[in-house]
Amino acid sequence: MKTFGWSFAITAVALMVAFFYGGVEALILCAILGVLEISLSFDNAVVNARILEKLSAFWQTIFLTVGILIAVLGMRIAFPLLIVGVTANLNPVQAVSLALEKGGIHEPGSYAYLLHEAHPQIAAFGGIFLLMLFLDFMFEERELRWISFLEKPLAFIGRLHGASLSIGLILLVVSASMVRPGKEADVLIAGILGMVTYLLVNGLGDLFTIPGADEDQKPKKSSKGVGAAVGKAAFMLFLYLEVIDASFSFDGVIGAFAITSDPILIALGLGLIGAIFVRSLTVFLVREGTLDEFEYLDHGAHWAIGALSIILLLTISVEINEVITGVIGVVFIGASFGSSLLRNKKKAVEETAKEHHLSN
């Protein structure tokens, strides 16, 4: 309750607001949206936790305060409005007015329809960004492997300089070639922007942690002995964390309009319920040291990211139900958790046997 208390309290408030706003139907839709966001974001929480544990207590607090505002107001409210405003050449007031009309996703000219029309560009940006994240993780040489028969070949391919860029560009071109006529250039530009964003955020993070940086940029020790970044290094990690979090939210934001086109309910369900629960789960993983205890969770999360990136690229040309995305993510996280349990039991047996042997 210490970690999830606020999430439960805010969920109760959000459901009450939904009920007073639109009755029982609105309450049910709000709850469905919250469950959708949480189910799509287990992998997000794991990846966020691995980055968050590198930050100092101050920056962890920033993530839980400013970061939540960015997630709720930025990605769940402002982002769809911005996309609709740009694609339909509307000013902010007109975009908000259109959103409040609550037109259906198949109704030409409606808010939901215009956002759905922009889906290929959104999917290209988010899909390529997440694909780069997945490939860079898999291309690293590491002793611990989960799905060895796949991860070993990927690590071998990673020896090729620029392998992730090459694969990303190839898949982007293939995706753009499958989109409906007239959208190819938009998809290519959006995908390249996703790739450039990933490279810039990663590169800037490295830039601020080079030898000789100012003292206030050097990692300090956290209470658990883990390096906790501060100063400019922490700021870049925070930006990286927010960009990753935003990329994960693309599918949820778009998928929400298949359930309801009401921006108020989307903000309540995806933002106040879903996004805050994911933040709480992230904090729980950090505080409990779960990622170090269950060592395959990192791998499972990145496989889920890889699956999500491919699904996003496929949705540029075909419709894929968001439930499939959520189920795949949960399966990878659940399987990696189970594998971690088996590994821990095996290690415990080996240590017991070793102690028994030494005592004899």
Side-chain angles (χ1 to χ4, degrees):
M1 289 302 297
K2 181 180 178 182
T3 303
F4 289 94
W6 276 105
S7 297
F8 285 115
I10 291 172
T11 295
V13 171
L15 292 175
M16 287 175 59
V17 171
F19 176 76
F20 286 113
Y21 172 72
V24 175
E25 182 182 356
L27 184 147
I28 293 172
L29 288 174
C30 182
I32 291 171
L33 289 170
V35 172
L36 170 69
E37 179 71 1
I38 294 167
S39 66
L40 289 172
S41 301
F42 280 106
D43 47 357
N44 188 4
V46 174
V47 174
N48 283 356
R50 184 56 80 189
I51 300 170
L52 190 64
E53 67 183 11
K54 299 176 184 177
L55 294 173
S56 65
F58 170 79
W59 283 99
Q60 289 185 7
T61 303
I62 292 294
F63 174 73
L64 295 173
T65 52
V66 177
I68 286 177
L69 289 176
I70 294 173
V72 177
L73 299 179
M75 287 308 302
R76 274 72 179 184
I77 298 177
F79 171 72
L81 288 170
L82 176 64
I83 294 296
V84 169
V86 170
T87 55
N89 196 26
L90 301 174
N91 63 43
V93 175
Q94 291 172 321
V96 171
S97 177
L98 186 64
L100 294 176
E101 291 177 7
K102 310 174 189 178
I105 197 169
H106 299 296
E107 181 184 332
S110 70
Y111 179 73
Y113 178 86
L114 291 172
L115 188 62
H116 186 263
E117 284 294 294
H119 176 72
Q121 299 97 296
I122 298 169
F125 182 96
I128 290 297
F129 184 95
L130 293 176
L131 179 68
M132 297 290 290
L133 180 63
F134 165 74
L135 291 176
D136 278 357
F137 179 86
M138 291 300 166
F139 286 170
E140 289 180 5
E141 284 288 348
R142 51 172 46 86
E143 293 182 9
L144 182 69
R145 302 185 193 280
W146 180 39
I147 310 177
S148 297
F149 73 94
L150 292 175
E151 293 180 9
K152 285 182 179 179
L154 286 172
F156 179 78
I157 294 171
R159 296 177 185 176
L160 177 66
H161 183 68
S164 57
L165 279 173
S166 301
I167 293 173
L169 287 171
I170 290 170
L171 289 180
L172 176 59
V173 170
V174 171
S175 300
S177 68
M178 297 171 65
V179 76
R180 66 179 183 270
K183 284 279 188 178
E184 299 92 343
D186 293 336
V187 167
L188 284 172
I189 291 171
I192 290 171
L193 286 174
M195 188 174 291
V196 169
T197 301
Y198 177 82
L199 294 173
L200 276 177
V201 176
N202 250 358
L204 288 172
D206 293 338
L207 177 65
F208 286 114
T209 54
I210 57 174
D214 295 337
E215 285 298 321
D216 68 337
Q217 300 169 22
K218 291 181 180 179
K220 296 181 180 180
K221 290 291 181 180
S222 69
S223 58
K224 291 189 177 183
V226 179
V230 294
K232 293 179 181 177
F235 178 68
M236 294 314 305
L237 271 177
F238 173 74
L239 287 183
Y240 181 50
L241 192 55
E242 290 302 318
V243 174
I244 289 176
D245 192 60
S247 298
F248 273 109
S249 68
F250 287 150
D251 58 333
V253 171
I254 299 299
F257 283 88
I259 298 171
T260 177
S261 58
D262 191 321
I264 304 298
L265 293 181
I266 290 173
L268 290 171
L270 294 189
L272 287 184
I273 297 177
I276 291 176
F277 255 105
V278 173
R279 287 298 196 282
S280 295
L281 181 57
T282 300
V283 172
F284 176 81
L285 294 174
V286 173
R287 289 177 177 172
E288 299 299 319
T290 307
L291 297 184
D292 293 327
E293 183 179 353
F294 302 100
E295 297 176 299
Y296 290 132
L297 279 178
D298 265 342
H299 295 256
H302 281 87
W303 277 108
I305 289 170
L308 174 58
S309 68
I310 297 300
I311 288 172
L312 280 172
L313 293 176
L314 286 174
T315 58
I316 291 173
S317 54
V318 297
E319 294 281 347
I320 297 178
N321 194 296
E322 288 72 26
V323 173
I324 296 174
T325 309
V327 168
I328 290 175
V330 170
V331 167
F332 274 119
I333 296 296
S336 62
F337 179 74
S339 297
S340 299
L341 284 175
L342 292 175
R343 174 180 169 81
N344 290 346
K345 288 181 180 179
K346 183 179 178 181
K347 287 168 67 175
V349 169
E350 290 174 352
E351 288 176 5
T352 302
K354 184 178 179 181
E355 289 175 1
H356 180 72
H357 176 74
L358 292 174
S359 64
N360 290 335

